């Protein structure tokens, strides 16, 4: 069963409670994009916003760290009630140690890769984390165009996971919409992140239900 994770980066920050309630009612996870202006050329939001969302969230919080030295903040995100925490493979010197740290804080762990990093570089971590985040745009901004190569990347990763008999979900993030959701699910995606497709629509609940019909 595919899971839908609306990216709160595209939510209406003047009426955040309304968007949190919509996700509670219609989706599976809250996707929280944390950008530091160093790992990516953009700054998103920090703990005051994360904590506000957490206070009303009835679905698990999935935080996607686009920050350098993610290890520095792992414990702090656990304290905010994050259930799933991912970081970028090339944001740290020792990804394995970060996975251990995330697990030690009681969260599910994921590793993210931008479109220019071969998914084969994730293979050594299969069996050591609960999910992999395959970016279908370059991390940093919502509203970018989906990169078509993503299907092949997901297939490659999925077949390696299946070949090893491992339990590891694939999350896809960037430019996801009702147009590509079925093909992504077919390629092997388990979690679809969608920001603008959901929140820039006049009927977010309807978009989520069409994302589900894959
Ligand atoms: C991009 C973020 C995404 C983004 C998705 O760096 O990781 O989660 O918010 O937004 P859309 O769906 O608009 O591409
Ligand atoms: Zn994201």
């Amino acid at each position: 069963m595919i899971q839908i994770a609306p990216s709160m980066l595209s939510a209406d920050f003047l009426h955040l409670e309304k968007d949190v309630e919509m996700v509670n009612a219609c989706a599976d996870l809250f996707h929280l994009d944390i950008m530091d202006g160093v790992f990516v050329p953009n700054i998103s939001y920090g703990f005051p916003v994360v904590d506000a969302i957490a206070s009303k969230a009835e679905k698990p919080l999935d935080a996607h760290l686009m920050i350098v030295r993610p290890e520095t903040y792992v414990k702090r995100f656990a304290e905010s009630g994050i259930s799933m925490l991912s970081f970028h493979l090339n944001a740290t010197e020792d990804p394995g140690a970060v996975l251990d740290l995330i697990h030690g804080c009681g969260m599910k762990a994921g590793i993210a890769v931008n479109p220019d990093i071969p998914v084969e570089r994730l293979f050594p971590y299969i069996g050591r984390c609960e999910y992999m985040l395959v970016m279908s745009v370059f991390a940093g901004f919502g509203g970018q165009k989906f990169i078509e190569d993503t299907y092949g990347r997901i297939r490659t990763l999925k077949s390696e996971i299946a070949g090893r008999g491992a339990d590891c979900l694939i999350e896809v993030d960037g430019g996801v919409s009702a147009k590509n959701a079925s093909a992504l699910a077919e390629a092997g995606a388990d979690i679809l992140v969608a920001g603008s497709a959901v929140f820039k629509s006049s009927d977010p609940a309807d978009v989520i239900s069409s994302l589900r019909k894959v």
Side-chain angles (χ1 to χ4, degrees):
M1 181 58 170
I2 198 110
Q3 298 188 70
I4 312 298
S7 164
M8 302 309 285
L9 190 61
S10 299
D12 176 357
F13 286 92
L14 280 178
H15 302 95
L16 198 48
E17 187 168 5
K18 176 178 73 62
D19 286 346
V20 170
E21 282 166 1
M22 185 282 294
V23 175
N24 282 337
C26 307
D28 303 292
L29 301 166
F30 287 86
H31 185 82
L32 307 179
D33 288 302
I34 309 297
M35 305 178 185
D36 65 356
V38 180
F39 184 74
V40 287
N42 192 14
I43 295 175
S44 57
Y45 50 78
F47 294 112
V49 173
V50 171
D51 292 343
I53 294 172
S55 73
K56 294 277 172 184
E58 292 163 9
K59 296 287 163 79
L61 304 174
D62 155 37
H64 170 198
L65 303 186
M66 287 160 272
I67 66 174
V68 294
R69 291 187 302 278
E71 55 276 6
T72 323
Y73 290 99
V74 168
K75 190 163 168 278
R76 180 63 185 83
F77 279 100
E79 287 164 4
S80 278
I82 299 298
S83 307
M84 297 168 60
L85 192 66
S86 66
F87 59 94
H88 278 254
L89 180 68
N90 55 330
T92 178
E93 287 183 356
D94 191 348
V98 183
L99 293 175
D100 293 343
L101 192 57
I102 295 172
H103 288 144
C105 289
M107 297 178 283
K108 291 181 180 167
I111 308 187
V113 283
N114 263 324
D116 59 350
I117 296 186
V119 287
E120 287 76 4
R121 284 188 50 198
L122 293 171
F123 291 178
Y125 303 99
I126 294 173
R128 293 190 64 184
C129 55
E130 286 71 29
Y131 64 109
M132 303 287 191
L133 200 176
V134 176
M135 292 301 302
S136 38
V137 301
F138 281 86
F141 299 90
Q144 302 180 74
K145 191 173 173 297
F146 178 83
I147 297 173
E148 300 286 327
D149 280 1
T150 308
Y151 302 116
R153 289 164 58 75
I154 293 175
R155 267 188 226 109
T156 302
L157 183 57
K158 190 74 171 189
S159 82
E160 186 69 19
I161 292 169
R164 296 186 190 202
D167 220 357
C168 182
L169 299 179
I170 299 180
E171 177 172 31
V172 58
D173 183 7
V176 174
S177 71
K179 279 190 205 142
N180 51 27
S182 294
L184 286 168
E186 214 168 286
D190 303 288
I191 305 170
L192 302 179
V193 175
S196 18
V198 169
F199 290 108
K200 304 300 175 208
S201 153
S202 56
D203 192 348
D206 184 58
V207 173
I208 292 173
S209 91
S210 44
L211 289 172
R212 266 190 208 297
K213 280 185 211 134
V214 292

